[in-house]
Amino acid sequence: MATLAYRECPIVKVDDLRTDPRFNKQARAGLQARQVGAYFDVVLFEKGPWVSLLAPQSATPRTWTSSEGGFSAKLANG
């Protein structure tokens, strides 16, 4: 995903990589090869550019809770 996409939505959640329509076959296979079944990204921007990424992952599909996303965003943004 491009930096612009993260600016529009700094938290990107993927609950089930197998069924998420944002991934093509190649991207899905690459993540599955690294045993990623679910993840979410929280991007920290500072004065324009992105400076940090927090990306919790799960080997199996799971539903990320809003409190997990909020906590991670709070950590990423200090």
Side-chain angles (χ1 to χ4, degrees), residues 1-67:
M1 294 185 175
T3 302
L4 180 59
Y6 281 120
R7 283 194 188 283
E8 293 172 3
C9 183
I11 298 176
V12 176
K13 292 181 11 172
V14 177
D15 293 332
D16 190 342
L17 181 68
R18 299 171 304 179
T19 60
D20 194 302
R22 293 174 288 184
F23 296 92
N24 64 28
K25 190 174 183 178
Q26 183 178 6
R28 186 174 286 113
L31 287 164
Q32 288 174 325
R34 294 189 300 271
Q35 298 182 330
V36 176
Y39 73 91
F40 71 90
D41 290 346
V42 180
V43 180
L44 170 63
F45 293 93
E46 187 174 297
K47 298 179 184 174
W50 108 354
V51 295
S52 181
L53 171 69
L54 179 63
Q57 300 174 348
S58 173
T60 58
R62 59 163 295 169
T63 301
W64 299 100
T65 66
S66 58
S67 62

